[in-house]
């Protein structure tokens, strides 16, 4: 098919693999985006595990996040990844605050900090796997955003198969986190829960991206743009 006039982005990606790599790079923000997303949350978790003080943990993590945010503002670059980290910290702190206000013990408050992450990963796993099972893997829509037609990719079995494989790789870290952390959460193993949150956070996510990169490097699935 002939790319529509002005479809410079489509022309820049001759294969599905190139399109997915490009979209993932945008979504993650590169190494800097990953660090900005991971460090504040890791600091909050470590500080909370060591001190059992939500206020101190918030001060430390928010101070670091504010510094990262200031650098972004000075450089006039996107603040998306810093703000995402700040939002995650805020949600965890809110759950802990509610547990404290409802008369919960220190252990209940500590568990509450990890509840949002557990719920989020459970939700992600269900939604992502559901898109695979119904034959519309979520990664396929990354391809659609490049071609200009959000659903045209679904007509090509090779693209659907590749996108399904990539979507499974996205789902697996979420499934692993829930499988490991839910028993710890139910058993009130706060220390192990915090440790698993750090280990199974960005290190596991980066490992999954490495597998995706390997898979994307093996195949060369032609991409077709929407006709004008």
């Amino acid at each position: 098919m002939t790319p529509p006039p002005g479809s410079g982005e489509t022309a820049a990606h001759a294969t599905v693999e190139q399109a997915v790599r490009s979209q993932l790079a945008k979504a993650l923000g590169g190494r800097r985006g990953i660090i900005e997303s991971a460090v504040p949350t890791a600091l909050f978790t470590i500080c909370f595990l060591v001190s059992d003080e939500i206020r101190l943990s918030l001060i430390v993590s928010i101070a670091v996040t504010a510094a990262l945010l200031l650098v972004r503002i000075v450089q006039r670059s996107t603040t998306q990844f810093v703000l995402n980290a700040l939002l995650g910290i805020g949600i965890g702190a809110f759950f802990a605050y509610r547990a404290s206000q409802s008369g919960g013990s220190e252990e209940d408050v500590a568990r509450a900090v990890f509840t949002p992450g557990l719920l989020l990963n459970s939700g992600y796993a269900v939604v992502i796997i559901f898109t695979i099972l119904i034959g519309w893997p979520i990664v396929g829509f990354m391809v659609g955003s490049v071609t200009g037609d959000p659903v045209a990719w679904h007509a090509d079995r090779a693209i659907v198969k590749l996108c399904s494989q990539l979507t499974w790789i996205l789902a697996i870290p979420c499934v692993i986190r829930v499988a490991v952390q839910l028993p710890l959460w139910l058993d009130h193993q706060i220390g192990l829960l915090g440790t698993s949150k750090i280990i199974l956070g960005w290190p596991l996510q980066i490992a999954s991206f490495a597998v995706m990169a390997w898979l994307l490097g093996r195949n060369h699935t032609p991409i077709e743009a929407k006709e004008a």
Side-chain angles (χ1 to χ4, degrees):
M1 295 182 184
T2 303
S7 59
E9 186 176 11
T10 302
H13 304 296
T15 67
V16 173
E17 289 77 16
Q18 290 175 348
V20 173
R21 282 197 297 267
S22 174
Q23 295 300 87
L24 282 176
K26 291 179 182 178
L28 297 174
R31 293 180 182 177
R32 183 177 179 180
I34 292 174
I35 292 173
E36 289 175 340
S37 298
V39 169
T41 304
L43 280 176
F44 175 81
T45 303
I46 293 171
C47 189
F48 182 75
L49 288 174
V50 172
S51 67
D52 278 334
E53 291 287 338
I54 293 179
R55 182 174 297 180
L56 175 61
S57 303
L58 281 173
I59 291 173
V60 171
S61 57
I62 290 177
V64 172
T65 306
L68 294 173
L69 182 61
L70 181 61
V71 172
R72 281 285 192 177
I73 292 173
V74 170
Q75 295 178 340
R76 296 183 179 180
S77 56
T78 179
T79 59
Q80 172 189 346
F81 308 102
V82 182
L83 293 177
N84 287 346
L86 188 60
L87 178 62
I89 294 169
I91 293 174
F94 174 74
F95 270 66
Y97 173 77
R98 289 298 300 271
S100 177
Q101 290 298 105
S102 63
S105 64
E106 290 186 3
E107 188 176 78
D108 292 330
V109 173
R111 289 175 78 226
V113 171
F114 301 101
T115 302
L118 192 57
L119 292 174
L120 189 64
N121 278 285
S122 299
Y124 278 156
V126 169
V127 171
I128 293 173
I129 293 174
F130 178 73
T131 67
I132 300 171
L133 295 179
I134 64 174
W136 288 84
I138 198 168
V139 171
F141 294 98
M142 293 183 180
V143 178
S145 68
V146 172
T147 63
D149 187 326
V151 298
W153 58 272
H154 194 260
D156 190 319
R157 290 186 179 181
I159 294 180
V160 173
K161 180 180 178 181
L162 174 62
C163 291
S164 294
Q165 293 172 336
L166 294 170
T167 304
W168 271 117
I169 297 172
L170 283 180
I172 288 174
C174 297
V175 174
I176 291 175
R177 291 183 192 117
V178 174
V180 172
Q181 294 175 351
L182 181 57
L184 296 176
W185 188 89
L186 293 173
D187 198 34
H188 298 255
Q189 298 290 333
I190 307 303
L192 291 176
L193 189 58
T195 302
S196 69
K197 182 177 178 65
I198 295 172
I199 295 175
L200 299 179
W202 276 106
L204 178 61
Q205 201 67 53
I206 291 173
S208 72
F209 292 146
V211 175
M212 292 182 75
W214 172 79
L215 184 61
L216 290 170
R218 291 176 62 240
N219 301 321
H220 300 284
T221 310
I223 190 171
E224 294 185 345
K226 180 182 177 182
E227 288 185 333

